[in-house]
Amino acid sequence: MAAKLSLVVCVAVLCSMVVVAPHAEAAMTCGKVASSLGSCLTYLKGTGPLIGGCCNGVKGLVAAAKTTADRQTACGCLKSMATSISGLKPNLASSLPGKCGVKVGYPISTSTDCSKVH
């Protein structure tokens, strides 16, 4: 009887781990993307210089996007933000990672297929 109870407990624990694991997988959020890039807005609209705070945000965002799920989420957030920001200059957005000395591994563009980002 004790062996059956132990088996039931083990199965219950494993099932709960499977249910909880996917929720912990993607740590990236659109809020994190927006807050990381907030100081870049004037530069991205062409109305201000590229400041250190912007590059720090870009570098922090790239460092935080550790998994494929994180990078895909960040990509989707960037695309969504790009369409909602009036006056955004696409050429400045696409060149921002390079100007800040980081590589993101996919083009920063509203035409990027985020499902193909790895």
Side-chain angles (χ1 to χ4, degrees):
M1 182 69 166
K4 285 184 180 180
L5 183 58
S6 292
L7 180 61
V8 169
V9 169
C10 285
V11 170
V13 168
L14 286 174
C15 286
S16 67
M17 289 172 65
V18 169
V19 169
V20 172
H23 297 291
E25 190 174 308
M28 187 62 59
T29 65
C30 286
K32 185 175 204 157
V33 172
S35 67
S36 295
L37 301 179
S39 61
C40 300
L41 283 179
T42 57
Y43 173 76
L44 294 173
K45 289 182 173 188
T47 59
L50 178 60
I51 58 172
C54 173
C55 284
N56 289 340
V58 170
K59 290 174 184 176
L61 186 58
V62 170
K66 296 181 187 306
T67 66
T68 296
D70 287 341
R71 289 184 287 278
Q72 289 175 343
T73 298
C75 174
C77 295
L78 290 169
K79 285 178 68 170
S80 176
M81 289 169 50
T83 60
S84 67
I85 298 172
S86 175
L88 182 82
K89 306 234 183 278
N91 61 322
L92 294 176
S94 65
S95 67
L96 184 59
K99 289 194 178 268
C100 290
V102 295
K103 185 176 178 183
V104 293
Y106 60 90
I108 304 298
S109 169
T110 55
S111 63
T112 299
D113 181 352
C114 295
S115 70
K116 295 183 178 177
V117 169
H118 298 283

